């Protein structure tokens, strides 16, 4: 009898061969994008290859690739068995291309190149995943019974500008004040002024500004900036609005001197932020809140409306090679 694991494996293999069995290599299909980041811009082509492995010499049908984009909106239904129950889908992109006709796989791996265009129009929203809204894009490939799907991400130059402000720079000044009242008897007199340099901000630019404490009768524990996303969506025939915090930064700790200008500098988080958009069934926007917490436990805040866009594509300075003198150095 075999004295080792390797021998036993070898013996078992010999038995299978004597009985007429051969080890079957499993077929698989992969989608490989040209861009490792899988980030494409509206107006670009999504490129790459579809790789089929383990299909040496076999026949295959047509190779079909489909580019799909959709908005998913709604709300979870309690005790739902299906994760998509309570959500609806709206198609914003669908295009199909035949990558190859029917034929026979060659030996080794088989690669089928693809190049499908992402149109640039007002309906191509940026990729986004929130609580009640998601904008997803994916490439689907079908070869006979073989299927594969892979998500990719879409950004759009010049997208997100609203009708209200357009492309203009929009500074916003604010005043946060409080005084004792019937509703808030435990609060002391308080006055804070501030400014956001531009609330019509590009997603790649920082949100900047300042605050100045003018008066306070209570000791301050913390002053913070809170970035929130505002999702508006249709659910069960009605429009709902849900606000979710995506970032909170402390800009002052404890009591601060009166009259001191305290800077605001916030980087919009890449994975929770994208250009704002509006559609009949779902819309996304952002706001920033200035929050003050007192030692008494009282909290007050100032809401500042925002609009997030992505900048226009920068002009490329392409210089003709023929107009550029070339010199060679011999070593």
């Amino acid at each position: 009898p075999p004295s080792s694991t390797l021998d036993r494996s070898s013996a078992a293999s010999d038995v299978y061969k004597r009985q007429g069995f051969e080890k079957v290599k499993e077929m698989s299909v992969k989608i490989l994008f040209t861009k490792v980041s899988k980030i494409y811009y509206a107006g670009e082509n999504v490129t790459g290859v579809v790789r089929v492995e383990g299909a040496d010499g076999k026949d295959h049908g047509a190779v079909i690739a489909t580019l799909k984009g959709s908005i998913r909106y709604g709300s979870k239904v309690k005790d739902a068995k299906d994760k998509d129950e309570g959500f609806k889908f709206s198609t914003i992109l669908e295009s199909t291309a035949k990558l190859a006709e029917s034929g026979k796989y060659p030996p080794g791996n088989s690669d089928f190149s693809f190049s499908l265009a992402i149109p640039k129009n007002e309906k191509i929203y940026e990729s986004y995943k929130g609580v009640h809204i998601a904008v997803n894009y994916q490439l689907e490939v079908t070869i006979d019974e073989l299927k594969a799907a892979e998500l990719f991400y879409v950004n759009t130059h010049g997208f997100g500008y609203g009708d209200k402000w357009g492309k203009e720079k929009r500074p916003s000044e604010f005043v946060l004040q409080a005084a004792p009242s019937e509703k808030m008897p435990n609060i002391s007199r308080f006055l804070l002024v501030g400014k956001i340099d531009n609330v019509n901000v590009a997603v790649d630019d920082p949100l900047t500004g300042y605050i100045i404490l003018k008066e306070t009768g209570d000791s301050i524990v913390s002053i913070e900036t809170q970035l929130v996303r505002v999702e508006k969506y249709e659910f069960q025939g009605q429009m709902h609005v849900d606000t979710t915090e995506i970032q909170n930064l402390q800009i002052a700790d404890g009591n601060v001197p009166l009259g001191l200008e305290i800077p605001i500098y916030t980087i919009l988080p890449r994975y929770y932020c994208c250009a704002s958009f509006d559609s009949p069934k779902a819309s996304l926007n952002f706001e920033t809140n200035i929050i003050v917490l007192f030692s008494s436990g009282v909290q007050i805040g100032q809401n500042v409306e925002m609009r997030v866009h992505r900048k226009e594509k920068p002009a490329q300075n392409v210089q003709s090679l023929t107009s550029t003198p070339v010199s060679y150095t011999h070593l």
Side-chain angles (χ1 to χ4, degrees):
S3 59
S4 69
T5 303
L6 181 62
D7 291 337
R8 288 195 295 271
S9 176
S10 177
S13 178
D14 291 340
V15 171
Y16 282 123
K17 287 181 180 179
R18 288 196 300 271
Q19 294 181 355
F21 294 106
E22 292 290 340
K23 185 178 180 180
V24 178
K25 188 176 181 180
E26 188 175 343
M27 289 176 58
S28 65
V29 56
K30 299 177 181 178
I31 298 173
L32 306 175
F33 294 97
T34 303
K35 292 185 176 182
V36 177
S37 66
K38 297 192 266 187
I39 299 175
Y40 292 86
Y41 284 84
E44 286 187 340
N45 281 18
V46 179
T47 57
V49 296
V50 176
R51 177 164 296 171
V52 180
E53 299 177 348
D56 299 357
K58 295 182 180 179
D59 294 329
H60 68 80
V63 182
I64 306 297
T66 304
L67 208 62
K68 289 186 176 181
S70 64
I71 300 180
R72 177 179 181 263
Y73 59 92
S75 189
K76 290 182 180 179
V77 177
K78 188 177 181 181
D79 299 327
K81 296 181 179 179
D82 185 355
K83 65 181 178 64
D84 289 328
E85 187 175 344
F87 288 87
K88 293 184 178 181
F89 292 82
S90 178
T91 300
I92 55 179
L93 170 65
E94 186 165 355
S95 62
T96 301
K98 184 182 288 187
L99 308 185
E101 300 287 351
S102 301
K104 187 182 289 291
Y105 292 111
N109 296 335
S110 300
D111 287 350
F112 303 95
S113 299
F114 61 82
S115 179
L116 288 88
I118 307 172
K120 185 175 182 180
N121 57 54
E122 66 278 1
K123 292 184 179 180
I124 301 299
Y125 311 123
E126 294 201 334
S127 296
Y128 167 77
K129 184 176 182 181
V131 179
H132 300 281
I133 301 173
V135 180
N136 292 319
Y137 295 89
Q138 69 177 14
L139 182 71
E140 298 179 357
V141 175
T142 303
I143 314 173
D144 301 323
E145 73 281 358
L146 291 176
K147 296 181 184 295
E150 192 76 30
L151 290 172
F152 62 95
Y153 309 97
V154 173
N155 290 339
T156 307
H157 286 298
F159 183 80
Y161 295 104
D163 296 333
K164 185 177 179 180
W165 298 332
K167 298 181 180 181
E168 67 181 61
K169 184 176 180 180
R170 193 79 176 185
S172 177
E173 297 182 352
F174 56 87
V175 176
L176 177 56
Q177 57 185 345
S181 64
E182 292 183 4
K183 293 183 178 180
M184 300 179 67
N186 297 326
I187 196 168
S188 302
R189 294 185 62 83
F190 177 85
L191 176 61
L192 178 146
V193 298
K195 179 182 178 181
I196 301 296
D197 295 326
N198 186 15
V199 292
N200 195 14
V201 64
V203 68
D204 295 323
D205 288 346
L207 185 71
T208 61
Y210 64 86
I211 59 169
I212 301 174
L213 180 63
K214 294 290 188 179
E215 180 185 2
T216 181
D218 196 356
S219 59
I220 297 172
V221 174
S222 178
I223 303 177
E224 302 168 358
T225 61
Q226 180 190 51
L227 183 66
V228 298
R229 59 188 175 196
V230 183
E231 296 177 319
K232 186 177 181 181
Y233 58 96
E234 184 185 82
F235 178 62
Q236 296 181 344
Q238 295 182 343
M239 296 302 293
H240 296 256
V241 178
D242 187 76
T243 302
T244 311
E245 177 188 296
I246 57 175
Q247 183 172 268
N248 188 292
L249 298 175
Q250 185 183 50
I251 58 175
D253 182 29
N255 285 318
V256 297
L258 300 181
L260 176 66
E261 186 177 293
I262 301 172
I264 296 172
Y265 193 96
T266 300
I267 300 295
L268 303 184
R270 177 181 176 185
Y271 293 108
Y272 299 98
C273 200
C274 68
S276 302
F277 66 84
D278 302 290
S279 75
K281 302 294 185 181
S283 64
L284 173 70
N285 219 324
F286 297 88
E287 296 175 352
T288 188
N289 296 322
I290 309 299
I291 300 173
V292 181
L293 298 116
F294 297 99
S295 58
S296 61
V298 175
Q299 174 179 311
I300 60 174
Q302 175 69 39
N303 176 263
V304 181
E305 181 184 358
M306 294 171 52
R307 182 79 185 185
V308 178
H309 64 269
R310 192 171 296 277
K311 293 178 182 177
E312 299 282 355
K313 187 176 183 180
Q316 295 182 345
N317 184 16
V318 180
Q319 190 175 15
S320 173
L321 292 176
T322 57
S323 65
T324 305
V326 179
S327 61
Y328 298 92
T329 301
H330 296 281
L331 301 177

